[in-house]
Amino acid sequence: MANLVKEVKTKLAAEISAALEKSQDAGDLSLAEIPEIMLEEPREEAHGDYATNIAMVLAGQAQRAPREIAQLIVDNLADLDLIAQVEVAGPGFINFYLSDQWLYEAVETILEMGDDYGSSHLGQDKKVQIEFVSANPTGPLHIGHSRGAVVGDVLANIMSKVGFDVTKEYYINDAGNQMELLGQSVALRYQELFGAEVELPENSYQGEYIKEIAEKIKNEYGKEHLSKVETENYDFFKEFAYQRLLENIENDLREFGVEFDNWFSERTLHNQGLIKEVIEDLKEDGYLYEREGALWFKSSELGDDKDRVVVKEDGSTTYLAADIAYHQHKYQRGFTEVINVWGADHHGYVERMKAVIEALGYQREMLEVIIVQMVTLLREGKQVSMSKRSGDFVTLQDVVAEVGKDAARYFYIRRSVDSHLEFDLDLAKKESTENPVYYIQYAHARICSILAQPEIKELDLESDFKLNNLTDEAELKLMQQLARFTEELEKSAESRAPHHIARYAYDLAATFHTFYNKCIILGEEELLMLSRVSLVLATKQVLCNVLSILGVSAPESM
């Protein structure tokens, strides 16, 4: 487990604190306390690798000019191999220029850790549930679901890598009006196959997949279930369609590289009386009241814009009632944090659920909702139309079939979830460096080609050699990029921003391509070849690790 950047910053901070203590012991400074030392990367490379403003922070307390305090710190710093140069700049910043030794050690660490490089204990085994996709099993997954699937899956991979105990869950909305409507839609299409003229309700499901399900029923059962349509008994059709569609959803997600630890059925909440139980609890706690024959949740008292119905006048429960019971069940399973990945149409639902969490007796912060914005598909620069109700929509399967799993996953994750995504199908299929997926995978394939050379295979990489002849700017930049991996993972986990890792993969590939074009490997003297091949091997390892997290393959040839 190694966050190499954090280790360097921790060492620097410790040395700054030690220098301040020396200044106090010598009577040069009088401080009541030494605050946390903050180190930042300067915007300009000329200002060093790290800088701190601690001298300015302490100026009021010490009653000394910031530059004087900064100089005292510099004068009392220990002679470290880590620091190549240090200077006082501007109004009192201290700029640190690191020696290259830590980068050589970073390469050695990567080669030693292998697949484990990037791992850390940040999460401390905290139990986290990430619920995502959770589309109604009433039709195929469309492109909006696809984006949420990749966001949830990659975030789970990132958080697992840095030490969280993550469970990925799909909530199956298999109860309620939409399921009844599914059964009716299939039943009418089934009746139509036997020559009946049917009129589909305006809000029915009308995609081709409904006709295909009806056709399967006809092929399996013939006319056996026609009487059920005539008596408006749609239960058989509902269950038949439900099982087929859920199976298709599972298969589509599996082929897309998304597998869940748990599939939770909404019916469980009804069958086990969990909805009734949680309603009674909320009523007892004073969070529910009756009005106009319905039972209302006092969500407006807990941050929502208005109160919400949980039990209708006819005694049936609302979707909110099921969601309350479902989230209660999540926390009862021991999750200390729940992350829901929802589509843009759920934006107004967030405060409602935060109110629910508080009413259930948990901290609002124990629920985090990630809203994933819409996706627009582009082909030849024009938007591909999509309408779910009419059945004319682009499915996850359609996109994967057209551009491949790797390109689809990367394009869905490459932008922040809070921004609308334009998915350029033509770009995703290009076999050129314009295509970011191709560009990243080509870096790995290029490395495999290098390592396959006979001259490279003959090198004794187990021999005792040093990496300190790697001094070219392109080499140093590549080592710095490799060393950042764990910190990038930790930042992405903490900020719940998986797109940062997609960007990191691209930046790493770009840095490697620059190194490859500038630094010759074959034909150099043996020690330099050994060092550069070690750097190439470390790059290959990190590329494999980051692509694994993204769920994208690492091809050996392109």
Side-chain angles (χ1 to χ4, degrees), residues 166-449:
V166 179
T167 295
K168 297 185 288 185
E169 184 156 298
Y170 189 115
Y171 178 55
I172 312 167
N173 297 109
D174 52 7
N177 292 335
Q178 83 277 1
M179 296 303 296
E180 303 304 321
L181 189 58
L182 172 66
Q184 181 188 25
S185 301
V186 172
L188 293 176
R189 286 299 188 189
Y190 170 72
Q191 191 180 40
E192 189 177 48
L193 291 173
F194 292 98
E197 288 189 17
V198 300
E199 185 175 339
L200 292 171
E202 186 180 345
N203 60 346
S204 64
Y205 295 100
Q206 300 181 23
E208 278 299 313
Y209 67 94
I210 296 293
K211 295 180 181 178
E212 291 169 5
I213 293 171
E215 189 74 46
K216 285 180 181 178
I217 296 174
K218 178 186 177 185
N219 293 339
E220 282 190 45
Y221 297 97
K223 297 182 178 181
E224 182 179 337
H225 295 286
L226 274 177
S227 60
K228 293 177 181 176
V229 186
E230 292 162 3
T231 58
E232 297 186 356
N233 180 359
Y234 303 133
D235 286 350
F236 166 79
F237 300 96
K238 176 180 69 176
E239 288 305 310
F240 188 95
Y242 165 56
Q243 295 299 334
R244 299 315 182 274
L245 288 169
L246 186 60
E247 183 180 341
N248 290 342
I249 287 171
E250 289 187 45
N251 290 336
D252 286 352
L253 287 168
R254 190 179 301 111
E255 290 174 11
F256 197 38
V258 179
E259 297 206 36
F260 288 89
D261 301 304
N262 192 40
W263 294 72
F264 189 97
S265 167
E266 182 185 344
R267 293 179 181 182
T268 304
L269 303 171
H270 294 269
N271 297 340
Q272 296 181 5
L274 299 179
I275 297 176
K276 183 178 179 182
E277 183 180 307
V278 79
I279 287 174
E280 289 301 317
D281 289 344
L282 289 176
K283 189 186 295 183
E284 190 174 313
D285 292 336
Y287 286 110
L288 301 182
Y289 65 92
E290 289 188 31
R291 190 178 78 195
E292 299 172 353
L295 202 58
W296 296 70
F297 172 48
K298 297 179 181 178
S299 50
S300 64
E301 294 182 6
L302 299 169
D304 195 9
D305 58 343
K306 61 182 180 180
D307 292 345
R308 309 287 175 173
V309 175
V310 290
V311 180
K312 302 175 188 175
E313 292 178 65
D314 62 5
S316 64
T317 54
T318 63
Y319 289 120
L320 178 59
D323 281 338
I324 294 171
Y326 176 45
H327 282 75
Q328 171 80 302
H329 193 269
K330 291 186 183 193
Y331 295 114
Q332 288 174 342
R333 281 184 272 162
F335 295 111
T336 54
E337 185 169 357
V338 166
I339 300 172
N340 292 344
V341 181
W342 289 345
D345 55 338
H346 284 73
H347 187 274
Y349 210 70
V350 176
E351 282 305 313
R352 197 177 315 174
M353 287 311 301
K354 289 279 191 179
V356 165
I357 301 309
E358 189 173 343
L360 292 173
Y362 303 102
Q363 295 179 344
R364 295 168 71 93
E365 294 72 26
M366 290 176 69
L367 172 67
E368 185 168 353
V369 179
I370 297 173
I371 297 294
V372 180
Q373 292 301 320
M374 298 293 290
V375 179
T376 299
L377 288 181
L378 300 178
R379 186 181 283 116
E380 297 179 357
K382 296 178 181 178
Q383 183 175 334
V384 178
S385 62
M386 170 177 155
S387 171
K388 185 174 181 183
R389 185 59 67 188
S390 69
D392 178 24
F393 61 92
V394 182
T395 67
L396 180 157
Q397 199 174 55
D398 293 334
V399 175
V400 172
E402 183 164 348
V403 306
K405 175 179 78 75
D406 290 342
R409 284 186 66 104
Y410 188 85
F411 271 67
Y412 280 128
I413 199 69
R414 65 195 292 237
R415 296 279 183 262
S416 172
V417 296
D418 57 10
S419 63
H420 181 92
L421 176 66
E422 289 193 337
F423 190 129
D424 189 329
L425 294 166
D426 299 315
L427 177 60
K429 290 184 288 186
K430 275 190 177 180
E431 293 187 1
S432 74
T433 55
E434 292 177 69
N435 179 349
V437 189
Y438 183 92
Y439 186 65
I440 296 166
Q441 292 180 316
Y442 182 54
H444 185 268
R446 178 173 258 178
I447 288 172
C448 292
S449 176

Side-chain angles (χ1 to χ4, degrees), residues 115-120 156-163 489 545 549:
D115 293 345
D116 287 334
Y117 179 64
S119 302
S120 79
N157 292 343
I158 292 168
M159 294 184 72
S160 296
K161 188 74 171 177
V162 297
L489 287 172
N545 292 5
I549 285 169

Side-chain angles (χ1 to χ4, degrees), residues 116-136:
D116 287 334
Y117 179 64
S119 302
S120 79
H121 296 295
L122 176 74
Q124 299 181 325
D125 291 324
K126 182 179 180 181
K127 285 194 69 173
V128 177
Q129 185 216 55
I130 304 180
E131 182 222 321
F132 57 105
V133 185
S134 297
N136 295 341

Side-chain angles (χ1 to χ4, degrees), residues 1 19 76 92 113 230 292 301 304 363 376 380 401 416 475 481 509 518 529-530 533 557:
M1 308 293 180
N76 284 285
M113 294 187 69
E230 292 162 3
E292 299 172 353
E301 294 182 6
D304 195 9
Q363 295 179 344
T376 299
E380 297 179 357
S416 172
E475 294 167 332
Q481 194 72 263
K518 189 174 181 186
M529 279 182 64
L530 282 166
V533 169
S557 61

